[in-house]
Amino acid sequence: MHHKLFSREELQWLIVLCWLAAVIMCIVYLPHAGKPFKIENSSDPSAESAIAQQIMKKEFPYSGSRVVMLYKSNSVSAYDAGFKAQVNKSLAGLKKLDFEYRIISPYENTRQISDNQRVAYAVLETDRISEDLANSMGRINTLLGEPRNLKLYLGGDAAYTADINRLSEENLLRGELIALPICLVVMIFVFSGFLAALLTILVGVINITIIITIIYLLGHQIDLTVFVLNIATMLGLGLSLDYTLIITYRFREEYPKCHDCQKTMRITLRTACKAVFFSGLIVLISIASLTFFPINILFSIGIGGIVVVLVTVLSSVTLLPALLCLFEKYVTRSNPKLKRISSEDARQHRWYQFAMLVMRYPLSFMIPTILFLLLLGYPFLNAKINISDAKILPAWTESRKVFDQFNKSFNVNDMAPINIVLQSTRNNILSKKNVGAIYDYVERLKKDSRVDRVISIVTLKPGLSKQMYQQIYSTSPLPFDEYQNKIFKSMAKGKYTVISVISKYSKDDKRNFELIDTLRFQGVGNGIVKNVGGLSAEIIDTMNIVYHLFIKVLIFISVFTYLALVWLLRSLILPLKAILMNFLSLSVCYGMLIFIFQEGHLAKLLHFQALGFTDINLPILLFFVLFGLSMDYEVFLLTRIKEFYEKTGDNAKSVAYGIERSARIITSAALVMVVVTGAFVTADIVFIKAFGLGAALAIAIDASLIRLVLVPATMGLLGNWNWYFPKWLDRILPKLNFHQ
């Protein structure tokens, strides 16, 4: 019944006008597309580290976003009167801010002055979230002014958020401007004509416009990461061009045989559109599986992926067929000069011969190829997992400069302590027994060889005994100076207090993880309960949650994909082989990510600095996105092979003919996807750059060595076992015939 939608010209125009109306309505929102997205809340809200952070934000003042103001001189000491006067004058300008804040000056805490005394930093502490404070960074920069003879840099989570937001929008536009013209040129050579190529690009632009608008509207209802726009645009453009390429190519292939648009469209809908539908279904389930993860960046891209697949598949089976019917005479034309260059017949003949050669010597092709792919994936065994920080930004951004200077001049762990939130279950946290229990607990912490120092309510005045602290907290007012009073107010309230443990090791060091495990196991005493938080604790919690869920979700999408392919291909063997091939291509992607971005190979060529780690979300994100995308080419190839097998019943000839007819289109579709994802390698944010390159590498390997070498090799080796399907299952499962 679907083909009847395109039986009359009026219906075709109605479909096109509906899509154009949707695009016109969406254009209004495009200038504001980046507004509602966030970077915060990247961890599971039910994790212990997240609970600790929630308590701190709720109970203690100024536990929200911070701005680090770093002052640097090449010649003058931070203790010099002129240096100090300029810092104080600069900080005084912040009095005009219209929200609550407090400032920790380097002259209140001398640890905020570097050992060489040339660098000092102040901290602006607020109750605001980083997205809100990021919007005030311009105002803060203006109020701070330009200190005479000093260099001022702004960093911290708010500055980091501001840089991420700005670069995300710039990288998104740059990626599209690079990808679209190159894809148009590729399409022109694939179709040997301009209009057919232009139609595919037009559908892609329409899809991207609608996808961005839907995600923008969703961003006002649910928390979505700022990265969702870049990745959704990348996926949307790539999938759209892939699907339109497959359908348009099949339409042009069948048209000379039928010389009738309606008959051609019926065949196209029964073959290519059916393959696109099943491919989209598998991609949808794979990417939608990310929504099972309570990690915001994974959940967000899962939501974005659902929007991408629904829009691209819907346009591919409605808008594109309508356009093909309306412009059939122009779409089916080929430029003779381009036709000679592309030479379809010669290419098809070579692919047929190559497939027969591979099937004649399957082990000779299969074993070296598998060993080569495993070698490329080997570096993943050295993966070092961490949470992204300012290192994913280019060195010229201001927040990255502060990050690098801080690492050089100060103890970086001072800005990333392990926070232990204590809660009294009986009375005020400052009761005599509670203070005694906390004092004993802190003394035990100090004796741990992995601990550098401890900041708590019982370390504010060094050298005091337990009894002295118990006496202090039983009197009023407290005998603290101004700085000590600031720290106390940020550490104790009602039934709560927080202890900050400064580790000797970096946040992703194995010994630091072991320290957190120890802290979580130790008791405090007197019925006091605790939650351990901080960046290191967040890494541990995120790893535990992600990889615990990963196994379950992996089994789910593997089973679903297997069942969908069993129904589509009517084989128990081919779907299993397809899934194993997917895992093989993904291992290459993972290995190359470690080799390039963690270890820094090709860093100069790709314009980034080696991270030394792999973001915890990146392997999970790439797996679920690429599992679906890689299955695209498997579906396109195997459905074509299945089509010939239904006609001939000959396994070898079906494989050879299937590759002959689909190798060119699979290579072209993969080239388009590589161009789209590869365009984002130009991104300034390393996370986006790594995702783009990882996707491009996986797709290139998948469409070449996997589909065009391993598929015919394994199918030649298995012979008729490829099509093993029990008769009882054949009777009860609805048939999906591909013959015309």
Side-chain angles (χ1 to χ4, degrees), residues 33 318 320 352 463 538 737:
T318 57
L320 180 63
Y352 181 88
E538 185 180 333
N737 292 324

Side-chain angles (χ1 to χ4, degrees), residues 240-251:
S240 177
L241 295 179
D242 261 13
Y243 291 163
T244 54
L245 174 61
I246 297 294
I247 293 171
T248 304
Y249 193 90
R250 187 59 186 262
F251 181 85

